Amino acid sequence: MPRFVTVAVPCPLRRGFDYLWAESLGKEPAIGMRVSIPFGPRRLVGVIIATDSSNDIPINKMKVVLRVLDEKPTLPLDLVQLGQWAADYYHHPVGDCIQQMLPVTLRKAEQAKEKPAQYWQCSAEIKQLPPLSARAHQQRSLLAVIQQSGQLSRRQIKDLGYSNNILNPLINGGYLNKANAPVADGSYMHADKPILNSEQDAAVNAISARLGHFDRFLLDGVTGSGKTEVYLRAIEYCLARGEQALVLIPEIGLTPQTLQRFEQRFPGCVSTLHSGLSDGERFQNWRKIESAEHQILLGTRSAVFTPFNNLGLIVVDEEHDASYKQQDGWRYSARDIAVKRGSDHNCPVVLGSATPSLDSLHNVAQNRYQLLELRERAGGASAPAIRLLDIRNESLDEGLSKSLLDATTRTIAAGNQALIFLNRRGFSPQLQCHSCGWLANCKACDAKMTVHFGRRELRCHHCDASEALPTICPQCHHHQLIYQGPGTERLELSLKRHFPEVPVIRIDRDTTSAKGSMQSLVDDIRTGKPCILVGTQMLAKGHHFPDVTLVGIVDIDGGLFSADFRGPERSGQLLVQVAGRAGRADKLGTVYIQTHCPEHPALQALVNDGYQPFARQLLAERQLFSLPPISFSAVIRADATSLEGAEAFLERLRASLAPGDTGWSIVGPLPAPMTRKAGRFRAALILQAERRSVLHRQLHTACHIGDQLSKPQNLRWSVDVDPIDLF
Ligand code: ADP
Ligand code: ZN
Ligand code: ZN
């Protein structure tokens, strides 16, 4: 009897492909094994998703599996099933889903051998060596960290923010010598731990009581309320049961401080997966979790697909963060997949945030998630006071009001730090000719070019096109070009002019793109000396600045009035997250928000009552209009070289969807608010349904028809289930 296997092949088709399994392969096929297969003119690496498939194609027409790449399955059955489930749920080709679940190293037939990591420990003769100079404080701090941790690899040392320039002299000077990889010995049982306050205690008890069962918790606690401590304690109980834990963090949430806390509490137990690692390092860490050599995985979005030997607890920190949703190709939400994995593995899932998403709050209201609240800041720090600054009719100095500048002066005079937040990088978002009105627009997008003054260029933040900054108007040749509105670069210059005696530190994508530059800026700030920080949302994530006592928010209005109904939710979260950076330790913080609409009800609720009442109000509005998370939605997007092309395709797709079915609606085709992006015209259909099953039925039809419809060559289209943006 000939045998067939079904293989998930990385290609845009929404199905698996059957191949003949030859005796000569010398192995039994198993689900999850990688195989080399012919596909059209190419050879690809695929993963077996079914064995003993039946098939009526004549044998001589069947393609044959060329080679088996694994001794035993690379992907365990639970992940293969998760991939198939997710392919259905997100209406995405299964081959691409399964491939994305593999570390890059395993997507190729040939694998590079990896060197095992070298670990370093403090030398036994350290006392006999000449003491390090007083100026070498970073080296002394590294020695102290290694001493505390026992041993650390070069990679871990780098992740903790120490460069090779700090490490190498310690090795060469004999302060450090080679060590074996640490083995977990349960020493976390005896680590120094703070005494939990009663809310933390209740949260830890609730979670640990459910270990071994699927359950979902929302841990809602302001920044600094001790959420991480709750995770650490719950993980301790999980490890004591001989199980492993997965901790997901947002893209730039893995700060050296966080990693250090996990490493020090659980020495020899922690692996990381994030974009700063090489493919080889990622593969090694993946294996350490799979083989249960390590018990804890701390990782960003794609870490949710790591195979675990014995998964017992899942934590999603800052669960509201948009970086959990992949924004191209397979548009999955790692947060939602994490919940699905919890159900597959029968283990609790803890979603934590200071600003929970409306989705999770709705799940609490529906009794699907159990709410755990931390209302107090751990260690007794108090919440910042928030004040609205009405800037209507006020003359602004490069975007800054007199009240905000005065508050900054007082903050610096008191020896503290100020943080000025504006979510717009560059010098100015718009360049205009004062004489003829010409505007510097992007040639490929319906968008204005941003002025980057230091680099003397105009740059489009949507397609990254750039050109030299003109000095005269290209249209009327006058010299009167004006910069409309501020960006962070302009604020930095203005603040330097106002406060020449203190350092002004700008943190945005432009100042932190070089490796390690973010860490060195953060180190400067954490010395605690008076300074002014100015930056974008990069300031709102991960890092804490204990000496910041003033937070100034330059412009909040944009998000509150955005075209997307999620605008106010997103702005509110950002505002609260930025505000949470202030007054963390023993210092009281104040937050000033500049606004043209101080009476805006959402803003009022946020300022007077805090995030929870604000979010409840937004949720009530969503209820009123039956918007997600009350209903379920999906967006079908298309883009083409003409708007007509994109719209015509969506028009035909829409016409073919079952109008007879009830409980769902469809809007569009609507052109995106920024219709042209990077030379392509974009439009969308928005689907909404009261029940998920109805939405999925319609999407299933849509995908089937969309695949069949004849399309112009240049047309691209995609499906986004549970979108976080409409366009
Ligand atoms: P979050 O994750 O909510 O921002 P953390 O867990 O990082 O909060 O806690 C904030 C700070 O308070 C940390 O320095 C932490 O060590 C400390 N901390 C947490 N829980 C306690 C506690 N029960 N007693 C004293 N300090 C605590
Ligand atoms: Zn002009
Ligand atoms: Zn552009």
Side-chain angles (χ1 to χ4, degrees):
M1 270 289 276
R3 288 187 79 173
F4 301 104
V5 292
T6 309
V7 178
V9 181
C11 75
L13 298 175
R14 292 170 212 276
R15 61 184 183 91
F17 292 84
D18 288 350
Y19 287 86
L20 194 61
W21 186 269
E23 282 292 321
S24 56
L25 290 168
K27 284 192 190 92
E28 275 294 294
I31 290 178
M33 271 184 173
R34 295 172 314 130
V35 287
S36 168
I37 34 110
F39 195 76
R42 294 177 300 161
R43 276 179 177 208
L44 296 176
V45 173
V47 173
I48 299 178
I49 54 174
T51 55
D52 295 313
S53 318
S54 60
N55 201 306
D56 8 298
I57 303 174
I59 296 254
N60 57 359
K61 293 254 160 68
M62 287 292 295
K63 296 264 172 57
V64 177
V65 171
L66 302 172
R67 211 146 63 84
V68 188
L69 303 172
D70 297 325
E71 278 307 313
K72 60 182 185 59
T74 285
L75 278 186
L77 190 60
D78 65 281
L79 283 181
V80 173
Q81 287 169 346
L82 183 70
Q84 290 173 297
W85 172 85
D88 280 347
Y89 184 89
Y90 290 105
H91 299 268
H92 191 75
V94 65
D96 191 46
C97 298
I98 297 274
Q99 192 190 38
Q100 287 197 44
M101 295 168 84
L102 292 173
V104 172
T105 311
L106 292 176
R107 296 179 197 170
K108 297 176 286 236
E110 311 306 330
Q111 279 154 45
K113 277 266 172 295
E114 271 305 314
K115 285 197 309 249
Q118 177 59 58
Y119 284 82
W120 298 94
Q121 66 187 9
C122 288
S123 145
E125 291 89 49
I126 205 157
K127 295 240 157 50
Q128 281 92 348
L129 291 170
L132 290 165
S133 83
R135 279 181 303 127
H137 46 260
Q138 283 192 299
Q139 282 169 347
R140 275 188 283 132
S141 127
L142 175 56
L143 269 188
V145 169
I146 296 180
Q147 207 141 30
Q148 269 181 329
S149 311
Q151 60 277 79
L152 288 176
S153 69
R154 201 176 268 270
R155 177 75 241 179
Q156 289 170 317
I157 291 168
K158 211 163 167 187
D159 280 348
L160 291 171
Y162 301 96
S163 68
N164 280 338
N165 289 343
I166 301 167
L167 172 64
N168 288 340
L170 290 176
I171 296 173
N172 298 335
Y175 295 88
L176 297 177
N177 49 33
K178 290 185 177 176
N180 296 326
V183 277
D185 56 0
S187 59
Y188 52 86
M189 297 298 181
H190 319 291
D192 266 346
K193 297 172 252 194
I195 297 168
L196 297 182
N197 64 36
S198 59
E199 287 178 323
Q200 285 176 312
D201 204 42
V204 172
N205 286 338
I207 299 164
S208 53
R210 295 298 294 161
L211 289 167
H213 306 270
F214 172 52
D215 220 331
R216 294 158 293 185
F217 298 92
L218 175 64
L219 180 62
D220 177 352
V222 296
T223 322
S225 60
K227 293 186 294 298
T228 309
E229 191 57 45
V230 170
Y231 308 149
L232 291 167
R233 253 6 125 79
I235 291 172
E236 192 178 319
Y237 284 108
C238 164
L239 266 53
R241 291 165 50 94
E243 294 171 341
Q244 295 171 291
L246 165 65
V247 182
L248 293 179
I249 46 183
E251 217 109 86
I252 51 173
L254 182 59
T255 60
Q257 295 90 290
T258 315
L259 182 60
Q260 199 166 339
R261 264 173 95 181
F262 275 82
E263 288 281 356
Q264 286 186 350
R265 190 66 66 83
F266 303 105
C269 297
V270 185
S271 271
T272 57
L273 280 180
H274 55 86
S275 56
L277 301 179
S278 69
D279 291 346
E281 288 167 326
R282 292 177 74 101
F283 177 49
Q284 269 185 5
N285 291 353
W286 191 84
R287 279 271 188 250
K288 281 186 183 147
I289 294 297
E290 185 211 18
S291 63
E293 185 183 332
H294 279 172
Q295 285 69 44
I296 302 171
L297 178 64
L298 205 54
T300 49
R301 188 171 60 226
S302 63
V304 76
F305 298 119
T306 309
F308 278 76
N309 183 283
N310 190 5
L311 181 59
L313 177 66
I314 302 176
V315 172
V316 184
D317 192 25
E318 307 294 357
E319 63 90 26
H320 65 279
D321 198 282
S323 74
Y324 287 123
K325 175 98 174 161
Q326 180 147 287
Q327 286 290 46
D328 51 22
W330 178 20
R331 292 168 173 263
Y332 68 88
S333 154
R335 178 195 64 193
D336 298 348
I337 299 253
V339 174
K340 166 75 177 140
R341 272 203 99 178
S343 125
D344 291 349
H345 289 261
N346 252 321
C347 73
V349 182
V350 182
L351 310 183
S353 178
T355 52
S357 61
L358 295 190
D359 310 275
S360 296
L361 290 172
H362 180 60
N363 278 321
V364 168
Q366 299 289 304
N367 291 322
R368 280 193 290 264
Y369 292 10
Q370 187 178 332
L371 180 65
L372 305 170
E373 281 183 291
L374 304 180
R375 266 174 277 246
E376 307 275 298
R377 282 188 162 191
S382 32
I386 305 186
R387 279 192 49 194
L388 290 179
L389 296 178
D390 182 354
I391 52 169
R392 286 174 297 189
N393 299 317
E394 249 213 72
S395 75
L396 300 178
D397 185 338
E398 317 250 12
L400 300 171
S401 63
K402 184 163 183 311
S403 319
L404 185 52
L405 284 167
D406 287 348
T408 309
T409 308
R410 290 195 299 275
T411 305
I412 298 300
N416 291 321
Q417 300 177 339
L419 184 163
I420 308 293
F421 170 80
L422 176 63
N423 212 9
R424 192 191 295 139
R425 67 199 166 87
F427 183 82
S428 165
Q430 185 168 325
L431 179 68
Q432 186 163 38
C433 172
H434 196 45
S435 175
C436 75
W438 168 85
L439 273 170
N441 288 321
C442 176
K443 295 184 177 63
C445 308
D446 294 328
K448 299 190 180 69
M449 301 284 268
T450 300
V451 178
H452 287 261
F453 204 76
R455 295 201 303 251
R456 293 283 182 276
E457 69 172 18
L458 288 171
R459 184 169 283 275
C460 172
H461 286 184
H462 305 282
C463 72
D464 222 30
S466 66
E467 55 191 67
L469 186 64
T471 49
I472 56 166
C473 171
Q475 193 165 274
C476 75
H477 308 291
H478 271 77
H479 284 86
Q480 291 203 43
L481 293 178
I482 46 177
Y483 307 107
Q484 305 270 31
T488 46
E489 185 188 7
R490 189 174 199 170
L491 288 182
E492 178 194 7
L493 293 176
S494 157
L495 287 162
K496 278 185 169 151
R497 197 160 36 75
H498 281 284
F499 303 96
E501 68 290 356
V502 287
V504 175
I505 302 172
R506 171 157 62 101
I507 295 194
D508 57 26
R509 199 132 48 88
D510 298 319
T511 61
T512 57
S513 52
K515 242 186 150 101
S517 49
M518 177 76 177
Q519 195 49 44
S520 94
L521 292 176
V522 169
D523 286 345
D524 282 351
I525 299 163
R526 289 179 75 97
T527 60
K529 296 201 192 79
C531 66
I532 300 172
L533 319 182
V534 45
T536 57
Q537 60 169 337
M538 290 189 87
L539 280 174
K541 293 189 184 180
H543 291 281
H544 301 301
F545 305 111
D547 297 292
V548 167
T549 58
L550 170 72
V551 171
I553 295 175
V554 176
D555 177 12
I556 197 72
D557 298 348
L560 290 175
F561 301 115
S562 88
D564 196 319
F565 66 85
R566 291 175 189 81
E569 177 186 2
R570 202 98 34 89
S571 306
Q573 288 166 342
L574 194 53
L575 192 151
V576 173
Q577 294 285 346
V578 178
R581 307 298 116 186
R584 182 120 196 213
D586 46 348
K587 296 182 176 180
L588 192 65
T590 315
V591 181
Y592 283 85
I593 303 170
Q594 297 193 154
T595 176
H596 281 99
C597 33
E599 285 102 30
H600 192 286
L603 201 51
Q604 282 287 338
L606 197 56
V607 171
N608 298 331
D609 313 320
Y611 181 79
Q612 278 74 357
F614 161 80
R616 271 202 297 278
Q617 191 176 322
L618 293 185
L619 205 49
E621 282 169 26
R622 303 264 184 104
Q623 191 103 46
L624 199 63
F625 298 105
S626 250
L627 290 167
I630 314 303
S631 62
F632 303 98
S633 76
V635 177
I636 301 178
R637 300 187 181 87
D639 62 69
T641 46
S642 75
L643 182 59
E644 295 72 37
E647 285 184 332
F649 169 76
L650 294 177
E651 213 47 273
R652 282 190 294 154
L653 197 57
R654 178 181 174 151
S656 60
L657 291 178
D661 212 350
T662 54
W664 74 289
S665 65
I666 187 164
V667 178
L670 298 174
M674 190 178 82
T675 308
R676 197 170 47 117
K677 185 176 173 187
R680 301 184 63 86
F681 293 82
R682 309 174 310 144
L685 289 176
I686 300 166
L687 279 73
Q688 212 160 292
E690 286 156 28
R691 278 181 298 130
R692 223 177 242 302
S693 53
V694 176
L695 181 71
H696 281 295
R697 198 159 58 233
Q698 295 302 333
L699 284 175
H700 188 77
T701 315
C703 289
H704 186 71
I705 292 169
D707 286 341
Q708 317 273 311
L709 282 177
S710 64
K711 299 177 263 300
Q713 270 277 310
N714 61 56
L715 185 119
R716 292 187 307 215
W717 71 289
S718 63
V719 176
D720 188 352
V721 179
D722 306 330
I724 59 168
D725 292 302
L726 288 186
F727 295 98

